Amino acid sequence: MSEAVLLDLIHGCSPACTGASLLDSASAPHVFLLCGSSPRDKRSLSCGTLSACNNVRVLDSGSTAECLYRFKQTVDELDLSSVRVLTTPQGRDVLRVYQEQLFTAVYTFDYEVNDVTCPSCRGSAHTDSPGHRVHEEEEEEEEEQQVSAFLRQLPALKGDVTVLKSTLIPDCFGHGFSTRTGGVSYIPTLSSLNLFSSSRRRDPGAVVRENRRRLALHAGFHPESLRLVKVNHASDVWVLGKDEPESYDAMVTDRTGVVLAAPGADCMPILFADPVSKVIGAAHAGWKGTLMGVAMATVEAMVTEFGCQVSDIVVAVGPSVGACCFTLERDQALDFQRIHPDCVPDPESAQPHVNIRLANRILLQDGGILPENIHDDAVTERPRVTPCTSCHPEAFFSHCRDGPNFGTQVGFLWIKDTAHRTRPPTGEAV
């Protein structure tokens, strides 16, 4: 398997004391020299050992954060995931901080740590004194801030941040459904406002945090107040203030200032709002969660925990895959036919199309939600908030269309009415 070889010239690792290791790597097709803007490191590029390497790329963009971000871009373009790093003990500690910020578990890093033997490197060698450990913690925070500052100044891709809003949700709530424009994610299937980082995808946590910051700035909430459901494709609901489960597909609260968010990339982000009781909910409903009743479980939590009346609750269904593009195996599709025959327009097919939106509307109506209080693709008199994600690659991410390295948009909702006072805090951090 092809790998990228990264020689760290920034953190005290000069070619003079890593010559043997570098010569071993000379035949590697992808060699990168991390030298930043340091004059000492740039002078070291004249070393004869370096000239023996094939396909050498110099990373000297300025800050270490920018150098490693450009490195990741090239690694992604080459479709590589294995990185061998030649560095010192101090360099390993520093680079691991950047690795955590800018890479995911898709990538493997093998650190070859060289003993510090030359005078020029020995001065920056790692020590384990208490004072040094405190200094390390300060440096780690500084490195994280450096990554954030670099990402913040990147230009938005694919246009500005845009959100869809339902006219059914009253103005006492802030809400929206994100699209894919206005972020900094550059991998095609994740570009550009991907809002979820996964160990199985290539978009790292720092990039997703920057995308969330840009969405929050556009929508008018603080990014740290955003709460995203921990998807389990089931029907568990977390009532904020109670112990948080390990996983759940919906949340409800009556607290101001907390932004509930449900992800979607074909699955439905569904927003629930009761303007009378000032209670909100957000749910993630894929086909499994739909069959398990996650939408009505959210409504029932609002009723049970906060005394809401079902007739007061309004529901907005966000961008999601339509029946035009979504199919299941026949035995799975027939479960939807039992909800209503119209949910499966071609039941005789080996892989029938399934209308998961209609299934949720029927289940909500059966549970007491008024038909006119549901805003989905069946509604034509209001601005559209439920387009098919698979049919609109310019505007939305789609797992069905893009495969496993897909991006994620969200539906988000919060209570804006500061005059409404919620119950006393119970120790939960928001």
Side-chain angles (χ1 to χ4, degrees):
M1 178 183 292
S2 185
E3 66 176 3
V5 177
L6 179 67
L7 174 63
D8 177 13
L9 302 182
I10 291 180
H11 302 101
C13 183
S14 71
C17 64
T18 58
S21 296
L22 186 55
L23 284 173
D24 290 341
S25 304
S27 59
H30 309 295
V31 178
F32 297 81
L33 305 179
L34 178 62
C35 68
S37 56
S38 166
R40 183 187 73 83
D41 295 332
K42 288 193 173 185
R43 283 197 303 271
S44 70
L45 296 180
S46 61
C47 175
T49 303
L50 299 178
S51 63
C53 294
N54 297 321
N55 300 324
V56 172
R57 296 173 175 85
V58 178
L59 302 169
D60 60 352
S61 300
S63 70
T64 305
E66 181 172 0
C67 287
L68 291 174
Y69 185 81
R70 303 304 179 197
F71 168 68
K72 181 181 184 297
Q73 285 183 311
T74 305
V75 165
D76 289 331
E77 289 171 4
L78 297 170
D79 196 26
L80 301 176
S81 58
S82 180
V83 181
R84 183 154 57 97
V85 185
L86 309 181
T87 186
T88 61
Q90 184 205 26
R92 175 193 56 199
D93 294 343
V94 171
L95 293 180
R96 278 179 172 168
V97 176
Y98 288 106
Q99 176 190 339
E100 183 177 346
Q101 294 284 305
L102 293 173
F103 296 84
T104 70
V106 168
Y107 308 83
T108 58
F109 280 72
D110 178 21
Y111 289 89
E112 293 187 9
V113 178
N114 300 289
D115 293 330
V116 178
T117 56
C118 72
S120 64
C121 295
R122 192 179 300 121
S124 58
H126 173 80
T127 65
D128 199 34
S129 66
H132 187 82
R133 286 195 295 273
V134 172
H135 184 60
E136 276 187 333
E137 292 174 0
E138 293 173 350
E139 285 187 338
E140 182 174 331
E141 183 177 350
E142 182 179 338
E143 289 146 9
E144 292 174 356
Q145 292 174 350
Q146 185 187 113
V147 170
S148 297
F150 169 71
L151 294 175
R152 188 169 294 195
Q153 56 82 42
L154 289 176
L157 301 176
K158 295 184 179 291
D160 298 327
V161 175
T162 58
V163 299
L164 304 180
K165 292 187 176 182
S166 169
T167 55
L168 188 61
I169 296 181
D171 290 340
C172 60
F173 304 104
H175 83 285
F177 297 101
S178 69
T179 67
R180 71 180 300 170
T181 63
V184 298
S185 302
Y186 59 80
I187 295 171
T189 56
L190 299 168
S191 180
S192 66
L193 194 71
N194 173 40
L195 298 170
F196 183 72
S197 180
S198 165
S199 61
R200 298 185 297 273
R201 305 180 209 167
R202 286 180 174 256
D203 225 8
V207 169
V208 169
R209 284 192 294 274
E210 172 59 18
N211 287 341
R212 291 181 181 180
R213 188 193 69 84
R214 295 188 183 206
L215 174 65
L217 185 65
H218 174 87
F221 62 84
H222 195 286
E224 292 184 6
S225 65
L226 186 70
R227 288 278 193 161
L228 202 66
V229 299
K230 298 180 179 179
V231 173
N232 192 37
H233 300 286
S235 59
D236 294 325
V237 181
W238 178 36
V239 180
L240 272 72
K242 295 188 175 183
D243 291 340
E244 183 177 4
E246 189 172 323
S247 61
Y248 47 92
D249 283 86
M251 296 179 286
V252 295
T253 190
D254 65 348
R255 298 183 175 187
T256 58
V258 183
V259 183
L260 307 186
D266 295 332
C267 296
M268 288 168 288
I270 308 179
L271 304 179
F272 303 79
D274 179 350
V276 177
S277 299
K278 294 292 196 314
V279 176
I280 57 174
H284 164 272
W287 70 269
K288 293 180 180 178
T290 296
L291 291 174
M292 295 182 71
V294 67
M296 272 310 300
T298 308
V299 172
E300 289 163 3
M302 294 172 71
V303 172
T304 302
E305 299 292 334
F306 302 105
C308 296
Q309 298 296 314
V310 176
S311 58
D312 293 331
I313 298 173
V314 298
V315 182
V317 180
S320 48
V321 68
C324 51
C325 299
F326 185 61
T327 62
L328 286 173
E329 295 298 326
R330 192 163 182 273
D331 59 335
Q332 297 168 335
L334 292 181
D335 289 332
F336 285 88
Q337 194 177 36
R338 284 187 276 273
I339 294 174
H340 194 281
D342 290 348
C343 293
V344 187
D346 52 350
E348 300 305 319
S349 173
Q351 286 191 311
H353 290 79
V354 176
N355 191 334
I356 57 174
R357 299 163 172 171
L358 176 60
N360 275 276
R361 170 176 275 273
I362 291 169
L363 292 171
L364 286 167
Q365 290 178 186
D366 288 348
I369 297 291
L370 301 177
E372 62 270 24
N373 280 356
I374 302 173
H375 190 180
D376 58 10
D377 61 324
V379 177
T380 58
E381 64 273 17
R382 294 180 181 275
R384 192 175 175 204
V385 294
T386 320
C388 175
T389 47
S390 183
C391 284
H392 297 87
E394 76 290 347
F396 303 106
F397 302 110
S398 169
H399 184 196
C400 292
R401 183 191 64 233
D402 298 334
N405 200 38
F406 62 95
T408 301
Q409 49 260 337
V410 302
F412 56 93
L413 176 67
W414 78 96
I415 302 169
K416 289 198 302 185
D417 186 3
T418 56
H420 175 72
R421 286 292 150 219
T422 61
R423 61 194 60 186
T426 59
E428 176 220 356
V430 297

